[in-house]
Amino acid sequence: MRPSSLVAMLGFLTLIVATFCPLLRPFHLFNMNVYKLNQPYGMVLMLVGVIGVLCTVLNQVNVTRIAAWAAIILVTLLFIAAVFKVKTTFSFIPFKGVSGFLAKQIAFKWGWYVLFAGALLSLVGAVLTKKPVNLQQFNQ
């Protein structure tokens, strides 16, 4: 395996592990990971990570690149959705000061860094990986 393939595999493995890291902590009571935020979305992230690892091991460069781009897009969309959800969770309260205070009580945790690091590592490794060269010679 080339070093860039190892970086891609490390990124996909980090992405898989990051789905279990705490992402949000509402009211300092409990931690929420990807599966508590949105379980089907977490399963899709896990599937992208597993496909990325398998394609890296099997030296499928194009599919690895697609999985890396899908991972970065999915993680970015999850972050944007979490920010919008936190901002609008208490919008039903007519007092802006109270709703703003309650929205600030939902803390973003360190798991976002791990999630983005895994997606970025997989993308860097997949982009730097070159397609394998077939050195077979044909005798005529």
Side-chain angles (χ1 to χ4, degrees):
M1 269 186 151
R2 294 184 173 97
S4 57
S5 295
L6 290 175
V7 170
M9 185 166 18
L10 179 68
F12 285 120
L13 290 174
T14 306
L15 180 73
I16 292 170
V17 169
T19 60
F20 298 104
C21 293
L23 299 177
L24 292 177
R25 185 171 174 99
F27 300 108
H28 305 287
L29 296 175
F30 58 93
N31 290 323
M32 295 176 70
N33 59 12
V34 173
Y35 302 108
K36 287 186 182 176
L37 288 175
N38 192 347
Q39 188 173 11
Y41 202 85
M43 296 303 286
V44 169
L45 268 175
M46 176 73 79
L47 182 65
V48 166
V50 169
I51 288 172
V53 168
L54 287 176
C55 291
T56 303
V57 169
L58 297 175
N59 210 10
Q60 298 293 320
V61 178
N62 291 333
V63 182
T64 304
R65 285 186 185 148
I66 292 170
W69 280 107
I72 196 79
I73 290 170
L74 288 173
V75 169
T76 305
L77 285 176
L78 181 66
F79 182 72
I80 291 170
V83 168
F84 282 144
K85 184 67 173 174
V86 167
K87 296 282 184 192
T88 62
T89 298
F90 299 104
S91 63
F92 64 91
I93 298 175
F95 305 108
K96 292 213 180 253
V98 174
S99 65
F101 172 75
L102 291 174
K104 288 180 183 176
Q105 296 305 311
I106 302 174
F108 286 86
K109 298 299 283 184
W110 55 269
W112 291 106
Y113 296 122
V114 180
L115 204 59
F116 275 107
L120 288 175
L121 268 176
S122 65
L123 183 64
V124 167
V127 168
L128 294 179
T129 302
K130 296 179 183 174
K131 196 160 181 116
V133 179
N134 192 1
L135 297 176
Q136 234 178 8
Q137 290 187 5
F138 297 106
N139 293 329
Q140 293 182 11

